[in-house]
Amino acid sequence: MVIVRIKRIKIQNWTVLIICLIYTIVFYGIGYRVNYQPDIYTRVNAPHSYYTNLLKTDVGGRIVSDLIWWILRWGNFKFYYYLALFLAIVIMTTACYRYGLFLIRKLNYENGNLKIVIIITILSCITIENIFSAEYLIYADGMVDSTLGIFLSVEATMLFASFLNTGGKSKLCKAGALLLIVSFIYEIFPSVFLIMTLPFIMLYSSSILCFLKNQLFAGALYLAGILPKTVYTTFIIDSSRAKFDQNSFSDSVVEYLPSGKTSSQFILSRITFGMWGYAIVCLFIGMSLLVVVVRRKQYLEVIKGIYISMVTVAVALIPFILRLSSDYKPRIYYPLGMLFGVLITYGIMIKAFNLNSNMDTSVCTIVIAAYMVIQWFSFLQMYTDCYITNYEDQYISRMIGECIDNYEKESGDAIKYVTFYDDSERTKYCINGWNLTKRAYSSWGSLSALNYWLKKDYLPGYVDKELTEYYIEQNWDVFSEDQITFKGDTAHICMY
């Protein structure tokens, strides 16, 4: 009997691992082609001394990330890209695998049938590799450190949940140490710990007093990681990103959020099909939980569900409130992306979704499948946007290169400097998709992209006032030779 049980567990473990690996490859494997972003162009051929210097000068205070780059960024960029992609897939698969087995044990489905094992495993995947995680694997330099930060946050969650169940102060210490490391990878990730622990706090709290104690423990661990990071960025390195502007956060919420407009960008314009789809499936799960617990007259569970949702939103905003980050980009929504998985996990814990019931299993399967379709097409759109912008950067670079070659042959002057200008309406983001990717030629990476694709070493040139006034009155929709003016050893180029 014992031998049979061991064999069953081994089969179950292999099943979980294979599902996690397939899920990870299906979603992140879309990035099988090397893609470049504006800031990546500046680092493609950067000498290793660049990363050594970054360890001393990084204004974001992400010293663990800087150390990982320093270790990995030797030699050819394409080799690094595929190495980083491979490591990121391994790390994310491992995180999903370990958390999947952990959920199966904690939800008491260790001897469940194959269908239940598959559902819980995919639940682990959609919680960790959620709809807002793609950006971490789109930016080459962020693949390994970002996925490692997520992995360590998941490990801290499991340690804390085990502490709630069986005790052991050493588990708290280990979880706190992991969160300290995570904070110096990326300040968003400690929020992951707070969100993922919510269902377990509910599960292992026998009274309101016990719940408050457990939640305070979780909050203390979070602060143990995030406060040293706050002190480091604000006072030790005096980070420009940590400057506290009293009106910055309130203005974004009160004044700009209703219209989606800030002084630099449109926040709501980044809400797309994938994000709407995610909101809809979250709403469906939330309403399903509400109907079930109200029918059972479990009104306390309603309060718990609302609490989980509110805390998820609140902790995701903490880095902005503390001025640890000012990036309004899809990657900062990652903690919010865990809400769907956390709500389903909570529903299974309270038996609102009973996986031994064919009806409940079918509902979970359909909703999870719908979510996966929405996420995959969203990922496909983002990666496609990357490849399109890379092609545009390459095409424009070659067009500029041909114009430079013709000028040098006709004039006899060699171009050493390049200056870029704006026309009247500059398009910074892709029109379609999640507006995640940027053309280098409509953002800060113009010169780096030009040098990369042409294999040149052009330097930034002087700004011509007359050309500045002329270009700002024009409005191009595509790149043309009319946007290039040559003067001596300098090429003046207007972007669109």
Side-chain angles (χ1 to χ4, degrees):
M1 191 70 180
V2 175
I3 296 175
V4 172
R5 185 174 183 275
I6 292 174
K7 287 184 177 179
R8 184 182 300 168
I9 291 175
K10 285 184 176 180
I11 293 173
Q12 173 184 276
N13 292 356
W14 275 107
T15 302
V16 173
L17 178 60
I18 292 170
I19 292 172
C20 291
L21 180 60
I22 293 174
Y23 189 100
T24 305
I25 292 175
V26 165
F27 282 89
Y28 299 123
I30 309 175
Y32 70 95
R33 292 179 54 183
V34 178
N35 69 79
Y36 305 90
Q37 296 299 320
D39 46 357
I40 297 300
Y41 280 120
T42 65
R43 299 173 180 171
V44 169
N45 295 317
H48 197 260
S49 57
Y50 171 88
Y51 297 95
T52 302
N53 187 58
L54 194 62
L55 283 168
K56 307 172 186 176
T57 60
D58 184 9
V59 296
R62 298 162 187 169
I63 54 179
V64 177
S65 293
D66 297 334
L67 181 60
I68 292 172
W69 296 351
W70 185 85
I71 293 172
L72 294 177
R73 284 304 305 269
W74 295 86
N76 183 273
F77 176 77
K78 288 186 178 179
F79 172 78
Y80 163 75
Y81 179 89
Y82 286 114
L83 173 64
L85 181 61
F86 171 76
L87 292 175
I89 288 176
V90 169
I91 292 170
M92 291 298 267
T93 299
T94 304
C96 293
Y97 168 71
R98 286 182 53 75
Y99 188 62
L101 292 180
F102 184 79
L103 280 181
I104 289 171
R105 291 195 300 270
K106 295 302 178 183
L107 298 176
N108 297 318
Y109 286 109
E110 194 166 9
N111 294 317
N113 59 42
L114 180 61
K115 191 173 184 179
I116 293 177
V117 170
I118 292 174
I119 290 175
I120 295 179
T121 302
I122 295 178
L123 176 60
S124 170
C125 293
I126 63 180
T127 303
I128 296 169
E129 299 177 358
N130 65 57
I131 199 166
F132 298 107
S133 65
E135 189 175 359
Y136 298 130
L137 278 85
I138 284 178
Y139 284 81
D141 279 345
M143 288 183 185
V144 177
D145 54 300
S146 296
T147 53
L148 181 61
I150 293 170
F151 172 77
L152 295 180
S153 298
V154 173
E155 289 292 314
T157 297
M158 293 188 292
L159 282 168
F160 184 75
S162 297
F163 162 77
L164 295 178
N165 186 25
T166 60
K169 293 181 180 179
S170 62
K171 296 174 184 177
L172 284 182
C173 295
K174 291 177 182 177
L178 292 178
L179 291 175
L180 180 62
I181 297 172
V182 168
S183 296
F184 284 90
I185 293 177
Y186 190 34
E187 54 274 3
I188 297 297
F189 293 145
S191 301
V192 170
F193 165 79
L194 279 182
I195 292 169
M196 292 185 71
T197 55
L198 287 171
F200 299 102
I201 290 174
M202 301 296 182
L203 177 66
Y204 296 120
S205 297
S206 56
S207 64
I208 294 178
L209 184 61
C210 183
F211 160 76
L212 292 174
K213 182 185 70 174
N214 291 337
Q215 188 64 81
L216 286 174
F217 273 134
L221 289 177
Y222 173 83
L223 292 176
I226 206 70
L227 284 182
K229 171 65 181 295
T230 304
V231 172
Y232 179 77
T233 54
T234 306
F235 302 106
I236 297 178
I237 65 172
D238 193 26
S239 170
S240 58
R241 293 187 178 183
K243 298 296 183 183
F244 186 84
D245 177 359
Q246 187 174 2
N247 297 323
S248 60
F249 185 76
S250 60
D251 283 354
S252 297
V253 174
V254 177
E255 182 176 352
Y256 297 135
L257 190 57
S259 65
K261 182 178 181 181
T262 69
S263 57
S264 60
Q265 60 198 349
F266 286 86
I267 297 175
L268 297 185
S269 68
R270 299 185 178 188
I271 296 181
T272 60
F273 161 75
M275 297 173 74
W276 280 117
Y278 174 73
I280 290 171
V281 292
C282 280
L283 182 62
F284 178 82
I285 288 297
M287 293 302 296
S288 299
L289 283 171
L290 182 63
V291 169
V292 171
V293 296
V294 167
R295 281 180 178 177
R296 297 177 180 175
K297 296 183 179 180
Q298 296 174 315
Y299 302 115
L300 182 60
E301 301 299 341
V302 176
I303 297 174
K304 291 180 180 179
I306 294 173
Y307 177 79
I308 289 174
S309 300
M310 291 180 64
V311 170
T312 299
V313 174
V315 299
L317 297 177
I318 287 177
F320 299 96
I321 297 173
L322 296 178
R323 304 303 298 154
L324 292 177
S325 179
S326 59
D327 293 334
Y328 290 97
K329 297 177 181 177
R331 65 174 174 263
I332 61 94
Y333 303 136
Y334 176 76
L336 295 177
M338 311 197 90
L339 180 61
F340 179 76
V342 167
L343 283 177
I344 295 182
T345 302
Y346 171 67
I348 295 174
M349 284 180 175
I350 64 173
K351 303 299 181 182
F353 301 134
N354 184 0
L355 297 186
N356 289 316
S357 164
N358 290 332
M359 180 64 178
D360 287 4
T361 302
S362 298
V363 170
C364 287
T365 301
I366 292 171
V367 177
I368 288 174
Y371 171 88
M372 289 171 62
V373 170
I374 291 169
Q375 176 167 319
W376 191 84
F377 276 105
S378 297
F379 277 29
L380 179 64
Q381 181 65 68
M382 283 185 282
Y383 279 104
T384 301
D385 285 348
C386 286
Y387 299 140
I388 290 173
T389 55
N390 288 175
Y391 174 79
E392 289 178 345
D393 290 336
Q394 185 178 10
Y395 175 77
I396 292 173
S397 296
R398 289 176 177 174
M399 183 181 291
I400 294 172
E402 290 179 5
C403 292
I404 291 176
D405 289 342
N406 292 334
Y407 169 77
E408 289 179 337
K409 289 177 183 179
E410 294 174 1
S411 67
D413 293 327
I415 294 298
K416 298 179 181 178
Y417 304 96
V418 177
T419 304
F420 291 95
Y421 300 81
D422 292 340
D423 63 2
S424 60
E425 185 176 346
R426 192 176 185 186
T427 306
K428 291 183 180 293
Y429 299 95
C430 292
I431 296 174
N432 299 315
W434 278 18
N435 297 325
L436 174 66
T437 61
K438 302 177 183 179
R439 295 192 307 267
Y441 284 110
S442 57
S443 58
W444 61 86
S446 305
L447 186 58
S448 297
L450 181 66
N451 284 331
Y452 173 73
W453 291 115
L454 297 184
K455 301 187 186 305
K456 298 288 186 178
D457 294 304
Y458 295 122
L459 300 173
Y462 70 94
V463 175
D464 187 289
K465 292 184 179 179
E466 291 184 3
L467 286 176
T468 301
E469 294 175 359
Y470 167 72
Y471 284 138
I472 202 64
E473 294 178 355
Q474 310 304 312
N475 187 19
W476 283 283
D477 294 323
V478 294
F479 191 77
S480 68
E481 296 181 7
D482 297 335
Q483 293 165 246
I484 307 176
T485 302
F486 295 102
K487 291 188 176 183
D489 60 358
T490 304
H492 302 269
I493 305 172
C494 184
M495 293 295 96
Y496 65 97

